[in-house]
Amino acid sequence: MAPSLRNLQLTAAAGGRRQASDEESGDLEDVRLLDSYEDGNSDKSEGLGMKRIQVRITGMTCAACSNSVEGALRSVDGVLRASVALLQNKADVVFDPNLVKEEDIKNAIEDAGFEAEVLPEPSTIRTKPQGTLVGQFTIGGMTCAACVNSVEGILRDLPGVKRAVVALATSLGEVEYDPTVISKDDIVNAIEDTGFEGSLVQSSEQDKIILGVSGMSSELDAQLLEGVLCNMRGVRQFCFNRTSRELEVLFDPEVMSSRSLVDAVESGSTGKFKLHVKNPYTRMSSKDIEESSNMFRLFTASLFLSIPIFLMQVVCPHIPLLYALLLRQCGPFQMGDWLKWALVTVVQFVIGKRFYVAAGRAFRNGSTNMDVLVVLGTSASYLYSVCALLYGAITGFWSPTYFETSAMLITFVLLGKYLETLAKGKTSDAIKKLVELAPATALLLVRDKGGKNIGEREIDALLIQPGDILKVLPGTKVPVDGVVVWGSSYVNESMVTGESTPVLKEVDLSVIGGTMNLHGSLHVQATKVGSDTVLSQIICLVETAQMSKAPIQKFADFVASIFVPTVVAMSLLTLLGWYFGGVLGAYPEEWLPKNGNYFVFALMFSISVVVISCPCALGLATPTAVMVATGVGANNGVLIKGGDALERAQMVKYVVFDKTGTLTQGKASVTTAKVFNGMERGEFLTLVASAEASSEHPLAKAIVEYTRHFHFFDEPSTTKDAQKNNKESNYSWLLDVSDFSALPGKGVQCFIDGKQVGNRKLLTENGVSIPKFAEDIVVELEESGKTGILVAYDSTLIGVLGVADPLKREAAVVVEGLTKMGVKPVMVTGDNWRTARAVAREVGIQDVRAEVMPAGKADVIRSFQKDGSVVAMVGDGINDSPALAAADIGMAIGAGTDIAIEAAEYVLMRNNLEDVITAIDLSRKTFTRIRLNYVFAMAYNVIAIPIAAGLFFPWLRIALPPWAAGACMALSSVSVVCSSLLLRRYRKPRLTTILEITVE
């Protein structure tokens, strides 16, 4: 009897739900980069009265089992949706309780051969979204890490907010919140209440759309638009900005779609208005440009007003006529003093208003930032100069004024801010390039009720809905992920796979949005739109990584939190030290400026200390480098899931490789077939293929395909769906199988015609003797790197098969390259020892772990971690996911399964092992740059502050004027951002360089 399926482990090379087809096609069409394994998104058709339950399932061992359960559930009348999670041993089922009962669902699973238990606490589907939502918000006015810490703290304290991350480099905040407790507007209000500017960019709740409106020429048009929207069913709220011509609409997604909304507005205006969807990333980019333009205007205005002040102070004394004009008395003051006072007042309080507003925010929130330092320094200089003028008018004793200090300070700070916004914009170029990959419009084929094409129309690509048939012309990009329903063409998929060779696309083959159609026309049925597309998920992954903080940044955040109070204290000490030192005669009066006094002398040093100290450079050192690195990684086919992973990867000591599908191509082929008992070869192969047909293992698929070719059946279909549809005709020779089971590391067994068929270790467990000659054949196969499969039928050994899975061409060179980099490669596989050693010997790996069960791979990882070593795991299958999760760094081969990609921190999109080296090398280069940034920032303050405080003045007579200190402060953060931008010049290492090979 076949053993019970209870508590069985996953098969050694089991794939995800789509692994089998992925391995055959070798492409990435079905890869979901960001999906969780449990689909938490409710179907659009779910409505009130629907019930949702979770069922615990016992006995599932591989993806075939989960597919079987899903099929059984979906065939039940009344079940709306069923999703099975293999690793969690759960099924999530949405059904109509009027048509089907919980007991019926449980019985359906048990009829499929598994044990089922309905979990308690069923929930009712509501029209409102369940669980938490994730919203992205722009936060304007942040200047340094102290601002970030302040906003993050306020957001995290809001009721209903589960998580909040704020990024200084992108001026974005990502908030995960419970919509039943707090709304998006509440979050925006909380941001604005703290003194910063806040607005929603996008949310995971698809109920809001921002549209650009063209065709409006008068107030009557605006009223017409409002009238159309007011009478539209499903529109909850709308706001039209007459200046930007942007229409923001909040609608009920269960009543109307975004496209029907646009169509209704355009038809309601009898074609007068034309609407187009505003891409959130494009809007953010335009905001960045707007901020840069605004900063440039402020800088030029400040410079325009500061130049006359500088000329009056430096040039005019050398031009007698002008100097005499400035010295003319006009009321209580000279003409020059009036002019300086007026010009500087405009610079200080009109142009410099943003600094006072930002400093006020900081004080309201109980924090301090760079704006506080600017306000303190410029205000001290301005107020002293005003007081000096008034004192002179009253007493007749005229002290020197320092109006030019205040004006030049603000001018230089604004110059630094402008350069910083330009540089920070460069760090997000990777996302901009990814967004530009997707076409703006698409050709929608219009069909009548009978399904016949009656025309075509151009629509916004963001309005495409699942099921739409789109026409893709030669030389244009595929708008969304979908399936070809008509036509044949070659498509360039290098933007996803990195492979420049065009891929043939025919009927029933999948295409990826953003890829380029090269030759023929295609009709594509949209399957994944919006955030579900591969390109959107890549963008989301890169963006999430850029939002994340590397652990090293905690140091900068801590320093920033105490930096400004420390600097202010040092400034006061400088003021008191120089002032009382002069009063007590510690230095001669010759050091004082002309007409100056001890207080003025001390005040200039004190102001210089305040303005030269800049926490911005510290706050930007890590996030800008992480942003550039994640963008560079994406351009090179390496997706990094965050700064934490980026930081750990540079310390990797061991890289653990899975064998099948990672070091090998995952496309096995039968090389040997020997029959022992006189049975016909065709009959032998038919028995084995029938037994293996239910397995998802790559070796099993190789056996089935070999058997079909042996029998001279039709050539295998080139499409996955066609194979499924034609299975009855192409595989009709397969025998009926019962009680099939796959045991990891042992093989498969089943019953055919009432007789047991089994292989590998199952033979000895069932008492089947293995003759020496058969054992010798297996040894010979395994020592040559092939897998030997023994086959028994009715407790008799009937033959052996040899299956080879060729190595990837780059495997050996990559292993040697890692060794040269000081990283130790390890191979872990569920295959037998002889085959494992043969493969390891061929690629050059010394440390081999064979016959390891899936759960055991994680144990191997932990054994390496015991001494504190950082371990990376490279894998592709579901059976690798526990090891990927256990490793410090999980690297999923891009063509692998969804669950493996979900468990990993790095996704190698190109399915090329060379990217393992690229990932580690990029991490090392990035953190070398981050350390250099910190040296820049820290050394700058360590050296600059003592100079500004006049520490070297007694010996070297070096004094840093406050305006020069302001210029240094402005350029410090710019230098750090530019240092990070040098990472954009990163080029992936050439293996010939790593291996020190000289190419003739």
Side-chain angles (χ1 to χ4, degrees):
M1 292 292 291
S4 168
L5 294 178
R6 181 188 294 271
N7 298 325
L8 290 186
Q9 300 181 41
L10 296 172
T11 55
R17 287 180 232 181
R18 292 180 288 269
Q19 184 182 7
S21 55
D22 287 341
E23 283 169 343
E24 291 174 9
S25 62
D27 57 29
L28 291 178
E29 280 105 1
D30 286 339
V31 172
R32 292 291 301 274
L33 295 176
L34 299 177
D35 280 356
S36 76
Y37 196 69
E38 288 185 295
D39 183 7
N41 299 320
S42 299
D43 194 292
K44 295 288 183 189
S45 58
E46 292 169 9
L48 288 171
M50 292 297 165
K51 195 172 183 181
R52 180 177 181 176
I53 62 170
Q54 287 195 338
V55 186
R56 180 181 289 117
I57 304 171
T58 306
M60 294 191 299
T61 59
C62 64
C65 300
S66 62
N67 290 342
S68 175
V69 175
E70 279 190 359
L73 289 171
R74 287 170 180 168
S75 65
V76 176
D77 185 31
V79 170
L80 187 64
R81 180 171 60 85
S83 176
V84 178
L86 179 63
L87 290 190
Q88 285 83 3
N89 289 315
K90 285 182 183 177
D92 188 87
V93 186
V94 177
F95 63 97
D96 186 348
N98 297 320
L99 299 176
V100 64
K101 306 300 180 188
E102 291 181 9
E103 193 64 24
D104 298 329
I105 294 172
K106 182 172 179 289
N107 292 337
I109 296 172
E110 289 177 346
D111 290 342
F114 303 89
E115 295 180 13
E117 176 191 354
V118 178
L119 297 175
E121 298 181 7
S123 59
T124 303
I125 299 296
R126 302 188 303 271
T127 54
K128 290 186 178 180
Q130 295 186 358
T132 59
L133 296 177
V134 177
Q136 281 191 342
F137 301 83
T138 54
I139 303 172
M142 296 190 299
T143 57
C144 62
C147 300
V148 173
N149 295 339
S150 175
V151 177
E152 277 188 353
I154 289 163
L155 289 176
R156 287 170 181 165
D157 290 340
L158 293 175
V161 171
K162 311 292 184 185
R163 179 178 61 87
V165 181
V166 176
L168 174 63
T170 57
S171 298
L172 277 178
E174 188 171 273
V175 184
E176 183 180 350
Y177 60 98
D178 185 344
T180 61
V181 179
I182 189 170
S183 68
K184 297 184 285 284
D185 292 337
D186 294 333
I187 295 173
V188 171
N189 291 336
I191 295 171
E192 292 178 342
D193 287 344
T194 61
F196 296 94
E197 299 169 7
S199 63
L200 176 71
V201 177
Q202 60 182 348
S203 169
S204 57
E205 184 179 21
Q206 301 300 320
D207 63 350
K208 176 184 174 182
I209 188 170
I210 298 175
L211 303 162
V213 184
S214 58
M216 302 193 91
S217 55
S218 65
E219 183 64 28
L220 289 175
D221 291 336
Q223 293 175 7
L224 172 62
L225 175 65
E226 291 176 359
V228 171
L229 289 167
C230 287
N231 295 323
M232 199 176 295
R233 182 172 172 267
V235 172
R236 294 172 176 167
Q237 187 179 339
F238 65 88
C239 175
F240 178 63
N241 187 320
R242 286 171 168 76
T243 305
S244 63
R245 299 294 174 90
E246 284 188 354
L247 174 64
E248 184 176 312
V249 183
L250 193 68
F251 63 95
D252 187 346
E254 295 183 3
V255 176
M256 68 191 320
S257 66
S258 54
R259 190 164 80 214
S260 63
L261 169 65
V262 171
D263 291 344
V265 172
E266 291 184 349
S267 62
S269 65
T270 62
K272 183 177 179 59
F273 303 144
K274 292 296 179 185
L275 277 62
H276 60 277
V277 183
K278 291 280 190 177
N279 189 306
Y281 296 104
T282 306
R283 291 181 70 243
M284 285 166 52
S285 181
S286 64
K287 283 188 177 182
D288 291 340
I289 295 171
E290 184 181 336
E291 183 185 359
S292 296
S293 301
N294 182 48
M295 201 60 67
F296 182 71
R297 284 195 300 271
L298 289 173
F299 163 67
T300 51
S302 182
L303 181 65
F304 178 76
L305 294 173
S306 298
I307 287 175
I309 300 171
F310 181 77
L311 293 176
M312 282 187 281
Q313 187 75 21
V314 178
V315 179
C316 288
H318 301 288
I319 304 175
L321 184 62
L322 288 176
Y323 191 58
L325 182 64
L326 293 175
L327 291 178
R328 284 186 59 183
Q329 199 73 17
C330 183
F333 311 124
Q334 295 174 349
M335 181 67 71
D337 292 331
W338 281 114
L339 286 173
K340 289 179 186 176
W341 192 357
L343 291 171
V344 172
T345 299
V346 175
V347 174
Q348 182 77 31
F349 298 108
V350 179
I351 297 174
K353 175 185 175 183
R354 66 184 308 276
F355 297 111
Y356 283 93
V357 171
R361 293 177 190 143
F363 283 128
R364 278 205 307 273
N365 298 327
S367 63
T368 50
N369 57 21
M370 190 205 76
D371 297 296
V372 172
L373 296 179
V374 174
V375 165
L376 287 176
T378 56
S379 297
S381 174
Y382 177 84
L383 291 174
Y384 168 77
S385 298
V386 171
C387 291
L389 279 180
L390 295 175
Y391 183 76
I394 295 171
T395 64
F397 180 78
W398 298 95
S399 299
T401 59
Y402 293 91
F403 282 121
E404 74 282 353
T405 295
S406 171
M408 296 301 285
L409 268 175
I410 289 176
T411 301
F412 279 120
V413 171
L414 288 173
L415 172 62
K417 283 291 175 189
Y418 170 64
L419 295 176
E420 187 181 314
T421 55
L422 287 180
K424 280 161 63 177
K426 299 285 186 186
T427 61
S428 58
D429 276 353
I431 286 184
K432 293 174 186 173
K433 288 179 181 177
L434 287 170
V435 171
E436 289 168 0
L437 287 174
T441 60
L443 278 177
L444 174 69
L445 294 180
V446 182
R447 296 187 166 192
D448 58 19
K449 294 181 179 179
K452 183 180 177 182
N453 291 336
I454 56 174
E456 57 187 50
R457 56 176 286 211
E458 189 176 50
I459 64 169
D460 196 306
L462 295 174
L463 297 177
I464 298 172
Q465 299 171 358
D468 285 346
I469 306 296
L470 308 167
K471 184 178 181 179
V472 185
L473 298 173
T476 62
K477 292 179 179 178
V478 179
V480 291
D481 296 1
V483 176
V484 177
V485 294
W486 178 88
S488 173
S489 179
Y490 280 89
V491 174
N492 183 353
E493 296 185 335
S494 58
M495 54 76 79
V496 172
T497 64
E499 298 294 336
S500 57
T501 305
V503 181
L504 176 63
K505 297 296 179 182
E506 297 177 313
V507 175
D508 291 333
L509 282 180
S510 300
V511 289
I512 305 173
T515 56
M516 179 66 74
N517 180 27
L518 299 178
H519 303 297
S521 292
L522 296 174
H523 289 183
V524 175
Q525 183 175 27
T527 56
K528 299 171 186 174
V529 300
S531 59
D532 289 334
T533 64
V534 169
L535 181 59
S536 295
Q537 291 178 64
I538 292 174
I539 293 171
C540 185
L541 192 81
V542 174
E543 192 176 49
T544 302
Q546 292 181 346
M547 292 282 295
S548 68
K549 291 185 179 181
I552 194 173
Q553 195 173 338
K554 292 178 182 177
F555 167 73
D557 291 344
F558 170 73
V559 172
S561 66
I562 62 172
F563 190 88
V564 175
T566 303
V567 168
V568 172
M570 292 172 64
S571 175
L572 287 173
L573 286 174
T574 301
L575 175 66
L576 296 174
W578 279 107
Y579 177 71
F580 286 110
V583 171
L584 298 175
Y587 56 86
E589 289 187 12
E590 290 79 19
W591 290 5
L592 300 179
K594 185 180 179 181
N595 295 329
N597 54 46
Y598 293 121
F599 179 77
V600 174
F601 187 58
L603 181 64
M604 290 302 105
F605 283 121
S606 177
I607 292 174
S608 293
V609 169
V610 168
V611 298
I612 203 169
S613 307
C614 181
C616 289
L618 276 172
L620 291 169
T622 298
T624 52
V626 169
M627 280 189 70
V628 176
T630 49
V632 167
N635 290 336
N636 284 280
V638 178
L639 297 184
I640 307 164
K641 291 191 178 178
D644 190 15
L646 194 63
E647 181 169 344
R648 288 199 305 270
Q650 44 122 13
M651 301 180 287
V652 166
K653 184 176 179 181
Y654 296 95
V655 173
V656 179
F657 290 98
D658 172 48
K659 181 177 79 71
T660 305
T662 303
L663 287 173
T664 65
Q665 295 179 13
K667 296 179 182 178
S669 59
V670 176
T671 60
T672 307
K674 293 184 180 292
V675 185
F676 299 145
N677 64 345
M679 182 184 290
E680 288 289 333
R681 182 185 291 261
E683 184 182 355
F684 166 72
L685 290 174
T686 301
L687 278 172
V688 181
S690 299
E692 296 283 9
S694 299
S695 173
E696 288 289 315
H697 199 287
L699 302 187
K701 302 185 123 351
I703 293 169
V704 175
E705 286 303 306
Y706 178 80
T707 304
R708 181 165 65 169
H709 284 291
F710 179 84
H711 287 300
F712 297 103
F713 279 88
D714 295 336
E715 285 298 312
S717 174
T718 56
T719 71
K720 293 173 275 187
D721 291 338
Q723 283 180 2
K724 204 177 294 179
N725 295 335
N726 296 334
K727 184 172 182 179
E728 185 176 349
S729 59
N730 286 347
Y731 296 94
S732 58
W733 44 270
L734 288 174
L735 304 174
D736 291 333
V737 171
S738 61
D739 295 331
F740 171 85
S741 62
L743 288 90
K746 296 180 180 180
V748 302
Q749 68 177 13
C750 63
F751 285 85
I752 298 176
D753 295 334
K755 298 176 182 178
Q756 190 177 34
V757 180
N759 62 7
R760 295 301 294 163
K761 294 179 182 178
L762 296 174
L763 300 181
T764 54
E765 288 183 6
N766 287 276
V768 178
S769 61
I770 303 175
K772 186 176 185 306
F773 74 88
E775 197 62 68
D776 291 342
I777 293 173
V778 172
V779 170
E780 182 182 349
L781 288 170
E782 292 174 347
E783 287 181 345
S784 62
K786 301 171 184 176
T787 301
I789 300 176
L790 290 167
V791 183
Y793 180 55
D794 197 18
S795 300
T796 303
L797 183 66
I798 61 172
V800 64
L801 291 170
V803 184
D805 186 3
L807 287 169
K808 290 180 178 175
R809 65 181 186 277
E810 73 275 9
V813 184
V814 168
V815 166
E816 187 177 353
L818 288 171
T819 305
K820 295 277 187 180
M821 293 172 69
V823 179
K824 186 175 180 181
V826 181
M827 187 178 81
V828 178
T829 178
D831 214 335
N832 63 80
W833 276 101
R834 290 193 192 94
T835 303
R837 288 196 183 102
V839 171
R841 186 166 54 248
E842 195 171 345
V843 297
I845 293 179
Q846 304 297 322
D847 194 343
V848 184
R849 310 297 170 92
E851 299 180 7
V852 179
M853 299 294 183
K857 291 184 180 182
D859 295 332
V860 171
I861 298 290
R862 295 186 189 99
S863 69
F864 286 119
Q865 293 172 326
K866 283 182 180 177
D867 62 351
S869 298
V870 177
V871 182
M873 170 71 192
V874 185
D876 70 320
I878 281 186
N879 59 313
D880 296 323
S881 55
L884 288 169
D888 299 288
I889 298 293
M891 297 184 182
I893 296 292
T897 58
D898 296 355
I899 189 79
I901 291 170
E902 185 68 26
E905 286 86 7
Y906 280 71
V907 180
L908 311 182
M909 294 292 296
R910 299 189 312 142
N911 199 15
N912 190 319
L913 288 176
E914 291 179 30
D915 290 340
V916 175
I917 288 179
T918 302
I920 296 173
D921 182 68
L922 176 59
S923 173
R924 291 179 177 180
K925 293 282 197 312
T926 301
F927 273 82
T928 298
R929 181 61 56 182
I930 287 174
R931 293 185 188 98
L932 185 62
N933 287 351
Y934 277 126
V935 169
F936 254 150
M938 296 297 292
Y940 163 82
N941 283 303
V942 168
I943 295 171
I945 291 176
I947 293 175
L951 192 64
F952 303 110
F953 186 83
W955 300 280
L956 304 176
R957 296 294 187 276
I958 296 177
L960 199 64
W963 64 266
C968 292
M969 178 194 71
L971 294 175
S972 66
S973 56
V974 176
S975 64
V976 166
V977 177
C978 291
S979 171
S980 294
L981 284 175
L982 289 176
L983 278 171
R984 295 174 68 192
R985 300 170 59 188
Y986 173 84
R987 295 293 179 269
K988 61 172 60 181
R990 296 183 58 173
L991 290 176
T992 51
T993 305
I994 295 174
L995 302 178
E996 300 172 353
I997 297 173
T998 303
V999 180
E1000 297 295 338

